[in-house]
Amino acid sequence: VSDDAERAMIAKLKTECGYQFTSKLEGMFTDMKLSADTMDSFRGHLLDRGDDPLGGIELSVHVLTTGFWPTAQVATKCNMPVEINRCTEAFKKFYLSNHNGRRLTWQTNMGPADIKA
């Protein structure tokens, strides 16, 4: 489904049901767009640096606003491998250098991880 079709549907819902009904949907939609832009910027940043702190690992991060998404109140503890921690720290450093005053909490239970051997 295209972004335009989704935006049109949200606009129709907003007209019929009001802002309160669609505010979280709009926030979710915005989060997904901003996450895609942030990942593009992060990849560009890594190319500009000329090194690969990710060690060949393909990382995809979605930065979600707490109030818009149904997430677990208590994040489950996940002991990630050193290589993955290096990736998350590289992204965190990049993200926080561009967004002051924000906090990242990794919701490891909310996404997939594919390991190829």
Side-chain angles (χ1 to χ4, degrees), residues 38-57:
T38 300
M39 283 309 300
D40 289 343
S41 296
F42 179 60
R43 289 184 185 107
H45 169 73
L46 294 179
L47 287 174
D48 290 345
R49 284 180 38 171
D51 64 348
D52 185 14
L54 304 185
I57 295 173

Side-chain angles (χ1 to χ4, degrees), residues 59 61 75-76 80 88-89 91-92 104-109:
L59 179 71
V61 177
T76 56
M80 294 187 285
T88 59
E89 285 303 314
F91 180 82
K92 182 178 180 178
L104 289 177
T105 303
W106 296 98
Q107 297 283 335
T108 54
N109 59 322

Side-chain angles (χ1 to χ4, degrees), residues 14-81:
K14 189 180 203 178
T15 301
E16 292 296 320
C17 304
Y19 175 77
Q20 292 285 87
F21 186 77
T22 60
S23 63
K24 287 187 180 185
L25 283 174
E26 289 178 294
M28 291 171 141
F29 195 80
T30 300
D31 279 353
M32 295 311 292
K33 175 69 174 129
L34 290 175
S35 289
D37 293 345
T38 300
M39 283 309 300
D40 289 343
S41 296
F42 179 60
R43 289 184 185 107
H45 169 73
L46 294 179
L47 287 174
D48 290 345
R49 284 180 38 171
D51 64 348
D52 185 14
L54 304 185
I57 295 173
E58 185 179 324
L59 179 71
S60 178
V61 177
H62 297 283
V63 179
L64 310 178
T65 305
T66 303
F68 297 146
W69 296 85
T71 58
Q73 294 297 332
V74 178
T76 56
K77 179 68 176 151
C78 180
N79 294 320
M80 294 187 285

